[in-house]
Amino acid sequence: SVGIDQAAVVQTHRQVRQRVLQVEKDYGPAIVQQYIAGREFGVGILGSTILPLSEIDFSSMPGGTWPILSFDAKWTPGCPEHTGSPAVCPARVAPPIARQLRTVALAAWRAVRGQGYGRVDLRLDENGQPWILEVNPNPDISDDAGLSRMAQAAGLSYDDLILRMVELALTTERKPATELPDLEVRTA
């Protein structure tokens, strides 16, 4: 999230060029991606289990701000962007949409040959089309972070989550992404 703030969403080619130059000056190489308006979800993966979906609720964001998870929204507790973007887990989403999000997330996870644990973040646009924002093979595993919240919604304690991650890391058998087993879906 370093470099992601309200100025990260731009609307003209000139603003894109200016923002890229600023990001490269401050942080190094920049990544540019299309802004997708819509609901934002996280899909957690733990071994052969897809954890309950999480959704970011942007309904309390300060007026005039973009509904994005900026650096402050993630890492500055108490600031308006942080308090205005709580995670809801399990997400309140219709079963067909949940299946679609899990299917797309799993395809992305397999495409990058994900193993062990991870999280795929997606946006669902106004037409119901899911867009992958990020495939994160090493998400925050703090006991108050998203992956832990998803595990808790699946009935796993924080200790259970960490133990399972260690067990997965110690597994010597590594399978290519095309040969991964079907994943079990855990719901709350």
Side-chain angles (χ1 to χ4, degrees):
S1 303
V2 172
I4 304 295
D5 57 27
Q6 288 296 310
V9 181
V10 297
Q11 297 179 301
T12 69
H13 290 286
R14 182 175 185 210
Q15 290 173 329
V16 170
R17 285 190 296 277
Q18 290 172 339
R19 183 64 184 186
V20 166
L21 289 173
Q22 186 64 50
V23 167
E24 289 178 339
K25 178 180 172 243
D26 294 344
Y27 307 107
I31 296 173
V32 177
Q33 65 186 124
Q34 179 181 342
Y35 173 77
I36 305 296
R39 296 171 71 183
E40 185 166 327
F41 296 91
V43 180
I45 299 171
L46 181 62
S48 61
T49 302
I50 297 179
L51 300 171
L53 302 179
S54 180
E55 180 175 7
I56 304 302
D57 178 2
F58 292 112
S59 65
S60 297
M61 286 288 281
T65 59
W66 291 98
I68 61 171
L69 276 180
S70 65
F71 181 88
D72 283 343
K74 289 184 178 181
W75 303 110
T76 310
C79 81
E81 287 182 64
H82 181 267
T83 59
S85 58
V88 177
C89 186
R92 291 176 224 117
V93 60
I97 295 172
R99 274 192 300 279
Q100 182 182 29
L101 291 168
R102 287 191 298 263
T103 298
V104 171
L106 179 56
W109 182 247
R110 287 181 171 169
V112 301
R113 298 183 181 272
Q115 295 181 356
Y117 71 95
R119 191 190 69 237
V120 180
D121 298 331
L122 307 101
R123 282 264 174 133
L124 194 63
D125 72 16
E126 60 196 25
N127 298 317
Q129 173 69 42
W131 294 79
I132 299 165
L133 300 177
E134 172 186 23
V135 178
N136 190 338
N138 188 26
D140 185 352
I141 59 168
S142 302
D143 63 354
D144 62 348
L147 193 70
S148 178
R149 233 182 340 270
M150 293 176 203
Q152 288 171 6
L156 299 172
S157 70
Y158 183 67
D159 289 346
D160 293 336
L161 171 65
I162 299 302
L163 180 59
R164 181 68 180 124
M165 291 169 58
V166 170
E167 289 169 350
L168 290 165
L170 293 173
T171 302
T172 56
E173 183 181 346
R174 300 288 184 216
K175 296 181 180 181
T178 56
E179 297 177 15
L180 288 175
D182 289 334
L183 271 71
E184 165 195 359
V185 176
R186 304 268 310 250
T187 57

